[in-house]
Amino acid sequence: MLKSSEDPIAELKAVLAGQRYHPRTISNYCGCARRFLDYLEWREIQVENVTEALVSTYISHASGMLRKRHGRSGPHQHPIPRAGIHALLRLVQGQWPPPPKAACAAEAERFAICDEYGVWLREARGLAPASIEALIWEARHFLTWQFRQNGDNSLMSLRVDDIDRYMEMRAPKLTRKSLSAVANRLRSLLRHLHRVGRTAIDLSPHVIGPLIYAYEGVPSILERDQVAAVLRAVGKDRTLRGLRDHAILQLLATYGLRSSEICNLRLDDINWRAESIRIRHTKTKACSFLPLMEPVGEAVLAYLRAGRPAIDAREIFIRMRAPYRKLRMLDSVVRRRLRHAGVKLPGKSGAHIFRHARAVEMLRASVPQKVIGDLLGHRSAESTVPYLKLATEDLRAIALDVPEAELLS
């Protein structure tokens, strides 16, 4: 957080330069921030006390001034940029947007339940941050709906028909799979509410969601020639982004890693002398040490030498634009490279398709299912089965003949 004695614009300029923003972007951000500070001075408001509502008020005011100055209106009106203002507020207040404050008793109750629920999910269940975020979002959504429909103190009298009405409200815009996920998240919340004594009975068994058949959500599969085509196409792209994407796709195609495992891969996870790579499996919290295959090592080394921004972060794969920080998802990278290679798939086309393709390729090479599961970082054999569903023809080819006597019995 910025000290009150410092010049916020000079400090903002230094921070943006340290994050390697383009000089023109730094100038634009600082200009927007300076005009916002002038507005605050005119209103006699300290920047430490700025709220989201005040920022919206300023945007409306600045837009009106722009219309008066240039005579623009309607759809051709250029929006007032907020990025510079947000950067200034993050610097001064330490966090932006600020944490929400309860405006009434119902909101205070909702905040308290969600905070308590989040601690339990993190410390007792040990869930990943992304899973906790999804569960908390559903809890917040449900509690807001419940308090609005039935009052601030209605949890103790929560009934089955309340649950049914909430699910009916959520259903219209969701697919079967998404609605099933809503039902699972709601069951988790209801179990927690009963566990801590906020509801009289455990209503989680009464949440009715759509029936999802086992393994029906398996994504599309890449054939070996399609994988080769994608790697060949991205290998020809010698731009900074191309070097990064080539290293990512080599890791996906060679090891079948999860998107998060690649995003969390660190510089010290690669032992160049021993030619090995350490993988931290995000779901099981275990580590695997795999041989560093030559195509992977060459692609990663080329990226580190010529494509990676020179920053202090220890993660290998970094965004290509400021602020430079580690990548969070790879689906957009995969879709872009599939499109450039001319590979079209009928179903899902995120990073996970390489994981399925690697599993099926190993099955076709007669690799035991246990070994496949170990490479993919699975805790149990059941977790590997969905990845092999797409190889049904291969499984039929190795099916054992059943003796006729057993069929008759």
Side-chain angles (χ1 to χ4, degrees):
M1 183 180 293
L2 185 68
K3 297 179 181 178
S4 58
S5 60
E6 295 176 340
D7 177 9
I9 299 300
E11 184 68 15
L12 176 62
K13 184 176 181 180
V15 169
L16 294 175
Q19 295 175 343
R20 299 185 61 195
Y21 277 84
H22 192 278
R24 186 181 298 110
T25 303
I26 295 176
S27 176
N28 291 338
Y29 276 26
C30 290
C32 292
R34 186 176 292 108
R35 288 188 290 274
F36 181 63
L37 288 176
D38 292 340
Y39 172 80
L40 295 179
E41 185 178 359
W42 171 57
R43 294 277 306 271
E44 298 182 351
I45 299 173
Q46 296 294 320
V47 67
E48 294 83 357
N49 300 325
V50 170
T51 63
E52 291 182 274
L54 181 61
V55 173
S56 297
T57 300
Y58 166 73
I59 296 298
S60 298
H61 166 79
S63 298
M65 297 299 294
L66 188 64
R67 282 194 296 271
K68 288 182 179 180
R69 188 178 301 118
H70 299 287
R72 294 174 179 173
S73 61
H76 301 292
Q77 170 68 46
H78 294 298
I80 302 297
R82 299 170 181 250
I85 298 172
H86 292 172
L88 171 69
L89 294 172
R90 279 194 298 271
L91 177 66
V92 174
Q93 297 190 5
Q95 177 182 349
W96 188 266
K101 297 180 180 179
C104 60
E107 282 195 359
E109 177 78 358
R110 176 164 58 86
F111 290 167
I113 292 173
C114 289
D115 290 344
E116 175 187 70
Y117 185 40
V119 171
W120 179 67
L121 292 171
R122 182 173 57 257
E123 297 182 359
R125 296 189 57 188
L127 298 183
S131 300
I132 294 175
E133 183 179 354
L135 288 162
I136 292 294
W137 187 94
E138 196 66 52
R140 191 181 302 120
H141 199 273
F142 171 75
L143 292 171
T144 300
W145 178 88
Q146 173 64 18
F147 292 154
R148 187 178 297 142
Q149 295 289 321
N150 301 309
D152 301 353
N153 302 311
S154 58
L155 282 180
M156 192 57 70
S157 58
L158 189 65
R159 300 177 303 178
V160 174
D161 59 342
D162 295 324
I163 304 299
D164 292 342
R165 286 190 291 117
Y166 176 76
M167 292 298 294
E168 290 173 3
M169 182 273 295
R170 294 282 276 125
K173 297 182 179 180
L174 299 179
T175 63
R176 290 173 56 254
K177 186 174 181 180
S178 295
L179 190 59
S180 177
V182 170
N184 289 332
R185 292 194 293 265
L186 185 57
R187 291 186 191 105
S188 174
L189 173 65
L190 293 173
R191 283 192 294 268
H192 170 74
L193 292 175
H194 179 62
R195 185 184 63 84
V196 297
R198 292 185 180 273
T199 57
I201 59 174
D202 181 7
L203 292 171
S204 61
H206 301 283
V207 179
I208 300 175
L211 179 63
I212 302 296
Y213 297 99
Y215 318 137
E216 71 172 70
V218 176
S220 305
I221 186 172
L222 285 171
E223 297 297 338
R224 180 178 296 182
D225 59 337
Q226 292 175 315
V227 174
V230 175
L231 292 176
R232 188 165 51 249
V234 70
K236 295 177 181 178
D237 185 354
R238 306 310 293 175
T239 63
L240 303 183
R241 188 183 299 275
L243 292 174
R244 186 200 65 184
D245 293 356
H246 186 220
I248 288 172
L249 289 169
Q250 283 287 0
L251 284 163
L252 285 170
T254 303
Y255 303 113
L257 300 179
R258 298 180 179 93
S259 174
S260 56
E261 291 165 353
I262 294 179
C263 292
N264 292 329
L265 198 63
R266 298 169 66 87
L267 294 170
D268 52 4
D269 287 331
I270 298 182
N271 188 329
W272 297 99
R273 290 183 180 275
E275 296 185 348
S276 66
I277 182 171
R278 176 175 58 188
I279 305 300
R280 296 182 178 88
H281 298 292
T282 50
K283 286 193 174 182
T284 63
K285 310 300 182 185
C287 287
S288 294
F289 291 86
L290 304 175
L292 182 62
M293 306 304 290
E294 184 176 348
V296 176
E298 291 179 351
V300 172
L301 193 58
Y303 165 65
L304 292 177
R305 285 175 171 171
R308 185 180 184 273
I311 62 172
D312 294 335
R314 299 301 296 169
E315 287 80 13
I316 292 178
F317 296 106
I318 305 297
R319 281 166 40 104
M320 300 307 299
R321 298 176 58 186
Y324 293 104
R325 54 175 179 258
K326 75 169 187 174
L327 285 176
R328 298 188 181 277
M329 292 295 292
L330 301 182
D331 285 351
S332 60
V333 172
V334 170
R335 293 190 187 103
R336 182 172 62 249
R337 292 304 173 178
L338 288 173
R339 185 170 61 252
H340 289 172
V343 176
K344 296 182 180 180
L345 300 172
K348 296 180 180 180
S349 56
H352 235 58
I353 60 174
F354 283 90
R355 188 168 171 83
H356 285 261
R358 186 70 183 111
V360 172
E361 184 180 7
M362 286 189 288
L363 179 72
R364 290 170 177 166
S366 301
V367 176
Q369 183 175 329
K370 176 66 168 63
V371 176
I372 297 174
D374 289 343
L375 179 63
L376 296 179
H378 288 158
R379 184 177 290 152
S380 65
E382 288 77 11
S383 300
T384 311
V385 174
Y387 292 84
L388 306 180
K389 178 196 172 190
L390 294 172
T392 52
E393 294 304 319
D394 302 82
L395 294 175
R396 289 193 185 101
I398 62 174
L400 298 176
D401 292 331
V402 180
E404 184 176 353
E406 292 189 13
L407 289 175
L408 294 176
S409 62

